[in-house]
Amino acid sequence: MSGGSAKPKRRKAAGSALRYEHRPGRPSADQPKKRDWGCAVGCVAVPGAFVLLTPLYFFDQYWGDELWSDFAPAWPGGGYALAATVGALVPLVFLAWVAPLTRMNWKKSKPRSLAWAAASLPGLAAGYLVVGVIMGTVRPKRRRDWDSDCYSEGGPCWVHVHYPWLWAVGLAATLAAAALLITLFVTYAGRASATAPSTSEPEAGPTPRSPTGTGDRRPPA
């Protein structure tokens, strides 16, 4: 045994970690920054809403009173019949506007998509007329705003005084027309699925080599 005592060698300290773990709340430098569409959506949505609501405002101001004071009493059946007609038109014009838009597919064909978008414009125009007629009967929310213009002939308050159940008739007509459209759609879809040609091939008959085929042999008694 040697008398000298050798000191054990020290292990080298581990190198400092150069990689940092990515925290969940901190954006990574490798990930691309997402575009901020908030400003673009706001700049387009506000003018678009203004453009869509402007025709309804002018319709209510210039034709609303004359419509319910002159046109509604002359309608066959009076004001209630006009309310029922307008209520029944609500789901029809909505379908005429939305149905062409569902056929649009920009990735498949842009010209055809533009054609379908143009085909929805008549439904949109009819929707403006229907909504304009309905807005002619909407009273202000606050009673203190029911001024002389509201009670003038053809005004919203005047309409509700002469036709107190106008909203009920219009709502009932809307629900009835919507139920009829849904029934027709379900019936048409059921008939289309029943008359669709079957694409499955008929099963082939057993062959002599198949387990169930007997060929020229007769099965044992």
Side-chain angles (χ1 to χ4, degrees):
M1 295 179 63
S2 60
S5 60
K7 295 182 179 180
K9 295 182 179 181
R10 296 181 180 180
R11 297 182 180 179
K12 294 182 179 180
S16 59
L18 299 179
R19 296 181 181 180
Y20 298 92
E21 294 182 357
H22 176 66
R23 294 183 179 179
R26 183 179 298 177
S28 177
D30 298 336
Q31 296 179 355
K33 295 182 179 180
K34 296 182 179 180
R35 296 182 180 179
D36 186 10
W37 296 97
C39 180
V41 173
C43 296
V44 174
V46 174
F50 178 77
V51 171
L52 291 176
L53 295 177
T54 300
L56 298 178
Y57 172 79
F58 285 107
F59 186 92
D60 184 34
Q61 290 293 323
Y62 293 99
W63 293 289
D65 296 347
E66 288 78 5
L67 175 68
W68 286 101
S69 62
D70 300 334
F71 189 74
W75 188 264
Y80 285 118
L82 177 61
T85 303
V86 174
L89 288 176
V90 170
L92 293 177
V93 297
F94 181 77
L95 182 63
W97 172 47
V98 174
L101 297 179
T102 58
R103 305 293 300 272
M104 297 174 58
N105 191 346
W106 293 101
K107 294 182 180 180
K108 188 175 181 180
S109 176
K110 291 184 179 180
R112 185 174 296 180
S113 299
L114 291 175
W116 284 116
S120 67
L121 295 180
L124 180 61
Y128 270 112
L129 293 177
V130 172
V131 174
V133 174
I134 296 175
M135 287 188 62
T137 64
V138 177
R139 292 180 295 188
K141 294 182 179 180
R142 301 177 180 177
R143 286 183 173 270
R144 62 185 180 184
D145 296 334
W146 296 4
D147 51 8
S148 58
D149 293 337
C150 184
Y151 283 98
S152 61
E153 185 178 5
C157 298
W158 180 90
V159 172
H160 284 271
V161 169
H162 286 74
Y163 309 105
W165 298 101
L166 190 73
W167 63 272
V169 174
L171 180 61
T174 301
L175 295 177
L180 180 60
L181 288 177
I182 293 174
T183 303
L184 294 176
F185 177 77
V186 172
T187 304
Y188 175 77
R191 290 182 179 179
S193 60
T195 57
S198 178
T199 56
S200 60
E201 299 180 356
E203 296 182 358
T207 59
R209 295 183 179 180
S210 62
T212 56
T214 56
D216 295 333
R217 297 176 297 173
R218 294 182 180 180

